[in-house]
Amino acid sequence: MAHMAQNQAPRKKGKKVTIENFYGGSTQGKEENEEEIQKNSEHASQNGNYQQALEDLKLELIQKMETFWKEKWEKEISCLTDKTAQLEKELEASNRRADNAEKQIQSLMTRIKHLEESEMIKQQESIKQTQTINELEENIKHLTEKVTDLENRGRRENLRIIGLPEKPEVNNKLDFILEEIIKENCPHVLEQGGKIEIERIHRTPSILNPQKTTPRNVIAKFKSFQVKEKILQEAKKKSFRYKGAPIRITHDLAANTLRDRKAWNTIFRKARELGLQPRINYPAKLTIYFQGKVWAFNKIEDFQAFAKKRPELCGKFDIQAQKARET
């Protein structure tokens, strides 16, 4: 403790003021006391002014800070408000676009649905039309075959003479020319009296085409089917002639039947070369004699399928290749 007391700095002792010194003392002591009191008052007054200035400075600083932050936050809030309003406008516009897009999508979906329904209806109608067309084609094919058959039956008493010269003296007396042909080639067919009853005989077509060099065919209609058949059988056995010139006598068939028979020409010639004894039977059926049997074919496709399965015939009836070689 003594050591601590020694280390403490000595305090400056002020002059002790007593009542006597203040009131009853000497004038010099009194003046000294008044001066000291005045100094203390001035010092206290100065300390008070400092405190007030500090408080004022604090208040001013606080006000400025409040003003600064208020203005700053007002700007930030105003900016955020503007951005929010802009975003709300953009969102509203986006919603309108979305609504329009949804309406367009709905309209497109409705149109697609209508188109699909329309397409389905069209497909159903197309299927019905296809079925109707197929039925009509079948009916037309059936009716065509029936008409062709009726036409062929109506020509069953007819013979077609091919290669008879196109001369006025021949055309004016075709009936007498036919009798001469029969007398020259098959006289035993003539009926009693040396005449054959012919219903009519004419050239076909009726009008001569000057651009064609070959003579028109002659169609002869007999009153007797049996006589016509006898003449035809004789024509199949040998070649007929008129005054030494070769002529042909065949069935008088409908144009469709002739076309179907003509389609067999290439195969017929090749089959004859191979010794298959081909024949064209009514109306347009090909028959051949192969491996001890008679084979009949109504369509060229059937014959080609038959030939492909036989090594002896495979590759020998290629119609396209034969036509190319002929060309």
Side-chain angles (χ1 to χ4, degrees):
M1 293 293 293
H3 181 70
M4 292 177 61
Q6 290 178 1
N7 291 335
Q8 291 179 355
R11 296 181 180 178
K12 184 178 179 179
K13 294 182 180 181
K15 187 176 181 179
K16 187 176 182 180
V17 180
T18 62
I19 295 175
E20 291 81 2
N21 293 332
F22 186 78
Y23 288 104
S26 63
T27 304
Q28 182 179 359
K30 186 176 179 179
E31 290 177 354
E32 291 178 353
N33 290 334
E34 289 178 354
E35 290 178 358
E36 185 175 355
I37 291 170
Q38 187 176 357
K39 289 179 179 180
N40 291 332
S41 298
E42 290 178 355
H43 181 69
S45 176
Q46 290 177 356
N47 290 335
N49 290 335
Y50 290 151
Q51 292 291 333
Q52 186 64 37
L54 183 61
E55 292 295 330
D56 293 341
L57 184 60
K58 288 181 179 180
L59 290 174
E60 184 179 359
L61 182 60
I62 290 170
Q63 290 176 355
K64 288 182 177 180
M65 291 295 292
E66 288 178 351
T67 303
F68 171 78
W69 287 109
K70 182 178 180 182
E71 291 177 353
K72 184 176 180 179
W73 283 112
E74 284 179 352
K75 290 180 180 179
E76 293 290 336
I77 291 171
S78 177
C79 182
L80 290 174
T81 302
D82 294 340
K83 289 183 178 179
T84 302
Q86 183 66 25
L87 289 174
E88 288 179 351
K89 290 180 180 179
E90 292 178 357
L91 180 61
E92 185 178 358
S94 177
N95 290 334
R96 286 197 299 269
R97 290 195 296 270
D99 293 339
N100 292 333
E102 186 176 358
K103 290 179 181 178
Q104 291 178 358
I105 292 172
Q106 188 67 28
S107 176
L108 289 174
M109 293 296 293
T110 303
R111 291 179 61 186
I112 290 172
K113 184 178 179 181
H114 290 164
L115 288 173
E116 288 177 348
E117 292 176 352
S118 177
E119 184 66 22
M120 185 177 297
I121 293 172
K122 288 181 179 179
Q123 288 180 357
Q124 293 176 353
E125 291 178 352
S126 177
I127 292 172
K128 291 181 180 178
Q129 290 178 357
T130 302
Q131 294 175 349
T132 303
I133 291 171
N134 292 335
E135 292 176 357
L136 289 174
E137 288 178 349
E138 290 294 329
N139 292 334
I140 291 172
K141 182 180 178 181
H142 173 71
L143 292 174
T144 302
E145 292 175 352
K146 190 172 182 178
V147 169
T148 301
D149 182 64
L150 290 173
E151 186 177 355
N152 286 327
R153 291 179 183 277
R155 296 168 181 252
R156 62 194 303 268
E157 290 88 9
N158 294 0
L159 281 179
R160 183 180 291 263
I161 305 170
I162 303 170
L164 197 63
E166 188 84 44
K167 297 179 181 179
E169 60 271 18
V170 175
N171 295 339
N172 293 334
K173 49 180 182 178
L174 290 174
D175 50 348
F176 296 104
I177 299 298
L178 178 58
E179 289 183 5
E180 291 178 2
I181 292 172
I182 296 172
K183 288 178 181 180
E184 183 178 349
N185 296 276
C186 52
H188 61 279
V189 177
L190 291 173
E191 295 179 347
Q192 293 181 357
K195 291 184 179 180
I196 295 178
E197 293 185 2
I198 299 173
E199 187 172 331
R200 63 178 178 270
I201 184 170
H202 60 85
R203 291 275 188 180
T204 181
S206 58
I207 300 175
L208 177 63
N209 186 354
Q211 295 181 354
K212 288 189 175 182
T213 58
T214 57
R216 293 173 294 169
N217 295 344
V218 175
I219 305 298
K221 183 176 179 62
F222 293 82
K223 290 185 176 181
S224 172
F225 173 74
Q226 289 77 12
V227 173
K228 169 254 180 182
E229 281 295 314
K230 289 179 181 179
I231 297 172
L232 186 61
Q233 294 300 323
E234 292 295 327
K236 289 180 180 179
K237 294 177 183 178
K238 63 178 183 178
S239 298
F240 274 33
R241 292 179 175 273
Y242 173 66
K243 294 184 179 181
I247 60 172
R248 289 174 55 206
I249 295 181
T250 64
H251 286 287
D252 178 34
L253 300 172
N256 292 339
T257 306
L258 291 174
R259 184 188 65 243
D260 295 340
R261 287 190 166 207
K262 189 176 180 180
W264 288 106
N265 285 350
T266 304
I267 294 176
F268 186 90
R269 289 195 297 268
K270 188 63 178 178
R272 187 165 55 188
E273 291 176 6
L274 297 175
L276 300 178
Q277 303 176 19
R279 293 184 62 183
I280 302 295
N281 295 333
Y282 180 84
K285 182 186 297 184
L286 174 70
T287 62
I288 62 172
Y289 187 79
F290 179 69
Q291 294 181 347
K293 294 182 181 180
V294 177
W295 304 82
F297 307 94
N298 291 318
K299 297 181 180 179
I300 294 176
E301 294 79 7
D302 297 339
F303 176 80
Q304 289 177 334
F306 172 83
K308 286 180 180 179
K309 295 178 181 179
R310 272 69 181 178
E312 301 88 342
L313 305 178
C314 184
K316 296 181 180 180
F317 290 92
D318 190 348
I319 296 177
Q320 294 181 353
Q322 292 182 19
K323 286 183 178 180
R325 286 195 296 270
E326 291 174 358
T327 304

